[in-house]
Amino acid sequence: MTWNWLQIDLTHEPGRTEVACGPGGLIYEAARLDVQEGLDELTGQDAGFRGANRSWRKGEDFVMAKGMHIWTVFEETPGEPSAATARRLAAKLIAHLRAADHDATR
């Protein structure tokens, strides 16, 4: 069983997102550490990431910062390139967030 991390940055431009993922083939702890290092760096630059950083350090596997930046880890699908799994997961998460946002504005 191998793991990877996923980062989604929602933009102010409607329908546009930026998706990044790790190299794949990681153990769970390494995938989490990669995210932690990124959150540490971002928190040093912008205190708005502090809450997500704190939640990640407490063991959460899904965090959101400033309502626009998402990080999670995922188990890779055997036989599927990690980037393909990441894109599929990102699409599901984005659709879910948009549906929730749409419901909240009704």
Side-chain angles (χ1 to χ4, degrees):
M1 162 178 358
T2 58
W3 293 80
N4 203 356
W5 56 265
L6 171 66
Q7 178 181 344
I8 303 170
D9 293 317
L10 306 172
T11 66
H12 292 291
E13 198 175 313
R16 182 162 150 61
T17 59
E18 295 177 11
V19 176
C21 67
L26 303 171
I27 62 171
Y28 174 78
E29 293 80 5
R32 283 194 50 82
L33 182 60
D34 282 357
V35 173
Q36 184 63 66
E37 289 171 348
L39 284 170
D40 287 346
E41 183 177 335
L42 288 168
T43 301
Q45 299 168 7
D46 182 341
F49 292 94
R50 192 175 294 143
N53 195 333
R54 189 177 311 117
S55 293
W56 193 265
R57 286 184 177 277
K58 287 181 179 179
E60 295 292 327
D61 281 337
F62 179 94
V63 296
M64 180 180 246
K66 300 169 77 168
M68 297 188 62
H69 308 283
I70 300 164
W71 294 267
T72 191
V73 292
F74 62 93
E75 186 176 345
E76 295 178 306
T77 303
E80 181 177 44
S82 191
T85 306
R87 282 191 301 274
R88 191 167 30 83
L89 176 58
K92 287 181 182 181
L93 290 170
I94 291 164
H96 179 74
L97 290 168
R98 286 190 177 139
D101 185 49
H102 177 70
D103 290 346
T105 58
R106 285 191 198 182

